[in-house]
Amino acid sequence: MAGPVPRPARVRTLAPGVLRAALVSVLACGALTACGSDEEALRYATDYANHEPLGVVGYPTSESLKITQSLVWRLADGKAEEVQSLAADPDDAKGDVERTARNWIRAFHEGAKGKVTAEFYDEGSVRQLVVVYFHDTGQTKSFTVRLTGRAGEEGWRVAMREPDPKEASATPDWVPRTPGGLGSKTPR
């Protein structure tokens, strides 16, 4: 004689917010064990959880991508001192860097809070030109990220020498209207 037929197990799905939080926790743990600086890794994981992810076109290095993502997050946060901390030469042109950070926040703060795509031009062994597309506002911004220090020992930073508000918010005429329009090659 056959016994009672077992009922199928009930499958539960996680709510999107719970799934995202679990994924961020896993990423944070992995980042904490893989990076040299626990504080830096924790901040990156927290920033990743609190901001819109960056779309990417082209061929960034892991570090040129990281500094670009950090810049977009700092613009979204609207904190000039934190934008300044990403500058390539903060001491050489302190006044220019301070004004540039304020100008960039004034111009791109709203756009940085939404969907953003960064296109990385050419190869990035020591420097890379980046064009950032702020989809919600229709704005674009180009800048250069580069290794700093005599032999690159100071890491990747952002060139910030646009103290004039018009220059800081201007879009170069060669930038395509959509990411990938030039195949991530800078026109010569």
Side-chain angles (χ1 to χ4, degrees), residues 151-180:
E153 72 278 359
E154 294 176 20
W156 284 80
R157 297 284 182 233
V158 181
M160 288 188 205
R161 299 247 176 129
E162 297 177 340
D164 176 25
K166 287 183 181 181
E167 179 186 8
S169 61
T171 300
D173 58 358
W174 64 267
V175 172
R177 295 185 63 72
T178 58

Side-chain angles (χ1 to χ4, degrees), residues 123-145:
E123 66 88 28
S125 57
V126 285
R127 74 178 56 236
Q128 206 158 23
L129 178 66
V130 182
V131 176
V132 179
Y133 294 83
F134 301 98
H135 298 280
D136 293 352
T137 60
Q139 297 171 290
T140 57
K141 176 66 188 149
S142 67
F143 54 88
T144 302
V145 294

Side-chain angles (χ1 to χ4, degrees), residues 29-43:
C29 289
L32 286 174
T33 58
C35 294
S37 168
D38 290 349
E39 187 176 314
E40 180 182 325
L42 183 58
R43 177 169 184 166

